[in-house]
Amino acid sequence: MNINKTLLTLSLSATFLPSLSNAGEVEVLHWWTSGGEAKSVQELKAMLEEQGHSWKDFAVAGGGGESAMTVLKTRAVSGNPPSAAQIKGHDIQEWGGLGFLTNLDDVAQSGKWDDVVPTMVTDVMKFNGEYVAVPVNVHRVNWLWANPEVLKKAGVGVPKTLDEFFAAAEKIKAAGYIPLAHGGQPWQDATVFEAVALDVLGSDDYRKAFVELDMDTLSGDKMVEVFTKFKKVHDYIDANSPGRDWNVATSMVINGEAAMQIMGDWAKGEFTAAGKVPGKDYICAPAPGTDGQFTHNVDSFAFFEIKDEANVSAQKALAATILDKDFQEVFNLNKGSIPVRTDMDMSAFDQCALDSMATFKASAKTGDLVPSMAHGMSTTSYAQGAIYDVVTNFFNDPNADPKEAAQKLAKAVKAAI
Ligand code: GAL
């Protein structure tokens, strides 16, 4: 046991001491099954076990968490929810409204969560003013990951705008590489779509479209342009993309089969797990045209009402551990995200994380910090599902018309809300 972990155990134990008699079990549902993700969640398990509790892993594979949410609903409806589940954004309110979640205010008060986590995040973690969830991290979604050797062989630099991206992609294709590694799953299509939308619409209209669900913006000329450019992106992915997992797409960039991937910084977790160094083996850059903008995706765990006293004590220990400084550091180093606490020493983090933190802070001031639609931050799961359907159908239909797609988008959202 290292000294930091010993101190962690002591400091957490002071608040929620798990004596042998109240050592309990937490069952934790999550979808962190890729290399980098699994390493990250393993840290949480280890720190909980060091406090005498046991961890029952409830992993449901599938990036973006759609399958995990389906399984969770079945378990909850049958009256047997896990202790904690990876639930994010608007979904927390939906679960709170159904009466499933438990109050964590005692843990929050002793950990001073209100003082160390931005209000914009704590607001989402509370239902009716009470903490029911704990944030883990801040992911930036609008990133471009690139293999510098492949770019060099194709004679191109890192594209800063969408026009540069398309020009570079042509050359990469001509040089015999796949320009964009992509996994054809609805959430991945939506991740690329929102990156294009952030550039074309700008932060204010992005917010109008995906937060306010403004019909004119959803069906307007700029949205037609978003679909037009999004369609062009399809020219630069390979034929085997449908169904591919996101981390398999990342490995294509790692091994030099593909030049780039547009994906949130959980992709960095894959580069890290493969022993790759940013700036040398790979490049992290803002998604084309979105420098200074930040699409955020905050992971969190919501806690369910359970009865067994020992398990409640384990549950509280888990909640406290998630916001512990040592955990925040080691977890986020592996996960590719930045800590959600504002009082962290960032000296162990790499340049990508430092850039992310600087842009996170600056964008909050300029109005360029926006919630991710693709990752459940900007709107309800109903509106998100409607957007996913239109976006995915459009992307996979070579004859789809951008103008019609924008109209369909507004109609589908209207029907969902
Ligand atoms: C996101 C989640 C990330 C990452 C990704 C791929 O929804 O917030 O933490 O795990 O899915 O699985």
Side-chain angles (χ1 to χ4, degrees):
M1 182 186 279
N2 72 29
I3 193 85
N4 274 348
K5 286 191 175 169
T6 311
L7 288 174
L8 163 83
T9 311
L10 290 175
S11 69
L12 289 172
S13 303
T15 334
F16 295 102
L17 183 76
S19 71
L20 271 183
S21 62
N22 72 352
E25 178 186 85
V26 284
E27 186 182 19
V28 187
L29 178 137
H30 62 90
W31 63 87
W32 287 334
T33 54
S34 78
E37 290 175 331
K39 265 186 113 174
S40 313
V41 79
Q42 182 59 34
E43 297 290 349
L44 188 54
K45 177 177 188 250
M47 285 197 185
L48 187 84
E49 286 175 348
E50 277 174 31
Q51 296 167 67
H53 297 295
S54 52
W55 170 285
K56 189 170 174 197
D57 204 46
F58 188 0
V60 181
E66 253 184 295
S67 315
M69 288 302 103
T70 308
V71 173
L72 177 62
K73 279 174 200 153
T74 315
R75 274 284 301 270
V77 171
S78 69
N80 180 28
S83 319
Q86 195 186 343
I87 300 178
K88 307 186 297 182
H90 284 256
D91 282 0
I92 296 172
Q93 302 306 311
E94 287 169 25
W95 283 99
L98 292 170
F100 278 108
L101 304 182
T102 195
N103 183 323
L104 300 168
D105 280 350
D106 51 349
V107 193
Q109 264 157 27
S110 57
K112 299 196 169 55
W113 295 356
D114 279 339
D115 300 339
V116 297
V117 178
T119 319
M120 157 208 141
V121 176
T122 55
D123 281 350
V124 179
M125 301 301 134
K126 293 176 185 175
F127 177 71
N128 280 344
E130 295 171 357
Y131 274 102
V132 292
V134 192
V136 191
N137 60 1
V138 180
H139 272 301
R140 184 183 189 186
V141 187
N142 58 315
W143 278 115
L144 179 82
W145 306 93
N147 182 314
E149 244 178 69
V150 177
L151 295 186
K152 203 171 154 202
K153 282 184 188 148
V156 299
V158 180
K160 293 197 172 59
T161 62
L162 272 174
D163 285 344
E164 283 182 22
F165 172 83
F166 293 130
E170 271 305 321
K171 290 193 178 160
I172 295 164
K173 211 173 174 178
Y177 299 94
I178 298 165
L180 190 71
H182 182 66
Q185 296 171 347
W187 74 272
Q188 295 187 65
D189 296 342
T191 298
V192 174
F193 174 78
E194 78 174 15
V196 174
L198 185 64
D199 172 30
V200 175
L201 300 177
S203 304
D204 287 343
D205 278 2
Y206 173 100
R207 226 176 269 114
K208 268 196 193 160
F210 304 122
V211 180
E212 294 164 30
L213 306 178
D214 174 68
M215 293 299 142
D216 291 342
T217 313
L218 287 167
S219 62
D221 288 348
K222 274 167 106 184
M223 192 59 82
V224 177
E225 194 187 330
V226 172
F227 277 106
T228 308
K229 294 199 163 146
F230 180 53
K231 193 180 179 73
K232 200 162 176 199
V233 171
H234 197 278
D235 295 346
Y236 301 108
I237 66 178
D238 67 311
N240 294 327
S241 153
R244 177 188 286 142
D245 287 327
W246 67 272
N247 52 313
V248 175
T250 308
S251 71
M252 291 163 65
V253 178
I254 294 178
N255 66 29
E257 202 183 326
M260 303 176 277
Q261 182 182 22
I262 292 173
M263 186 48 69
D265 43 22
W266 44 94
K268 199 184 82 183
E270 299 307 294
F271 286 99
T272 307
K276 303 294 179 191
V277 178
K280 179 175 158 270
D281 304 317
Y282 69 97
I283 291 165
C284 58
T290 68
D291 189 19
Q293 294 171 289
F294 192 116
T295 316
H296 68 80
N297 173 20
V298 173
D299 282 311
S300 51
F301 285 94
F303 286 70
F304 283 78
E305 190 78 53
I306 51 170
K307 292 212 169 59
D308 183 275
E309 219 178 283
N311 292 350
V312 169
S313 123
Q315 200 182 38
K316 287 180 194 280
L318 178 68
T321 306
I322 291 172
L323 275 172
D324 176 85
K325 277 186 161 183
D326 288 334
F327 173 71
Q328 282 285 308
E329 177 171 304
V330 71
F331 176 86
N332 286 301
L333 283 173
N334 282 301
K335 189 71 169 69
S337 37
I338 53 172
V340 71
R341 288 183 71 118
T342 50
D343 59 347
M344 294 284 296
D345 171 4
M346 291 293 288
S347 54
F349 286 83
D350 63 26
Q351 196 55 45
C352 306
L354 297 178
D355 286 355
S356 179
M357 185 60 104
T359 311
F360 180 61
K361 288 183 180 159
S363 63
K365 294 194 181 117
T366 57
D368 288 311
L369 177 62
V370 300
S372 168
M373 173 278 293
H375 296 276
M377 299 287 121
S378 78
T379 184
T380 62
S381 56
Y382 310 106
Q384 183 199 31
I387 300 170
Y388 269 27
D389 285 350
V390 175
V391 165
T392 289
N393 288 338
F394 173 83
F395 201 55
N396 289 299
D397 175 1
N399 300 317
D401 174 53
K403 205 168 170 168
E404 267 174 35
Q407 276 157 9
K408 274 190 193 159
L409 184 67
K411 268 198 199 144
V413 169
K414 199 169 180 185
I417 54 178

